[in-house]
Amino acid sequence: MPHFRSAFLAALSLTIAQGTAAETPAATAATAAPSLKVELNAADTTEANCKLTFLITNDLSAPLDKAVYETVLFDREGTVNRLTLFDFGQLPVGRPRVRQFVVPQTTCENLGRILFNGAQSCDGAGIEAGTCENALAPATRTEIEVLG
C-alpha cells in the first residue's frame, strides 16, 4: 500500500507541475507591463548624413498626441557626437509607425550608440508623467547600440 501512495503522490506532483508550467507563459503575458517599443530599424548614410529609421509601437493604454525624446548620439569611440530631440509625433495604440531622422554631417558608420536620455514631451489623454520614460523599450536591428 505505501508503494501505491508514493506512486499516486508522484503522479499528482507531476500533473501539478505540468499545469503550472503550461500556465506560466499566459500568466507572464497577462502581467507584461505596457511598453513603448522604439526599434532602430535601419541606418543609412546618404550624402555624408546619417538617416535613422525607427519603428515605434505604442502598447500603452492610450494614444500619444506627442512623444519627443532627448537623444544622445555617440561615435564609435564612445564620445558624445551630439544631443538632439527626436519628435516621434502622434502614436496610436497598437499601430506601428515609422519615423525617420536625418543626422547632418555624420555618417552612420561613425555612430556607435544612441541613448534616449529622457522624454522631453509625452502628451496624451490619461498619460501620467514619466510614462514615456518608464515604458520605453529600445531595440535595434543595426550595429548601432540603442539604450534608454
Side-chain angles (χ1 to χ4, degrees):
M1 192 74 150
H3 176 69
F4 174 74
R5 188 180 325 202
S6 296
F8 174 75
L9 290 174
L12 181 61
S13 296
L14 181 61
T15 303
I16 291 170
Q18 288 174 341
T20 303
E23 292 173 16
T24 302
T28 302
T31 60
S35 67
L36 188 58
K37 298 173 189 164
V38 179
E39 175 192 270
L40 177 58
N41 189 271
D44 301 302
T45 298
T46 56
E47 300 176 18
N49 301 317
C50 180
K51 180 172 65 174
L52 301 171
T53 304
F54 289 90
L55 176 65
I56 307 98
T57 305
N58 175 3
D59 287 334
L60 301 173
S61 58
L64 292 174
D65 298 326
K66 187 175 190 180
V68 180
Y69 283 92
E70 179 182 80
T71 309
V72 185
L73 307 177
F74 295 86
D75 65 20
R76 292 273 177 201
E77 288 75 44
T79 303
V80 173
N81 174 288
R82 70 190 70 201
L83 190 81
T84 189
L85 296 175
F86 284 170
D87 185 348
F88 290 100
Q90 295 180 339
L91 300 171
V93 175
R95 296 184 62 203
R97 292 290 182 250
V98 173
R99 302 289 189 258
Q100 292 183 325
F101 303 96
V102 175
V103 181
Q105 302 171 347
T106 193
T107 63
C108 296
E109 293 76 20
N110 188 44
L111 292 180
R113 179 182 305 155
I114 297 172
L115 169 65
F116 290 103
N117 210 29
Q120 193 265 345
S121 179
C122 180
D123 301 325
I127 299 296
E128 296 178 22
T131 297
C132 286
E133 289 182 33
N134 297 332
L136 182 67
T140 186
R141 288 185 180 261
T142 73
E143 292 185 16
I144 301 170
E145 182 181 16
V146 179
L147 306 168

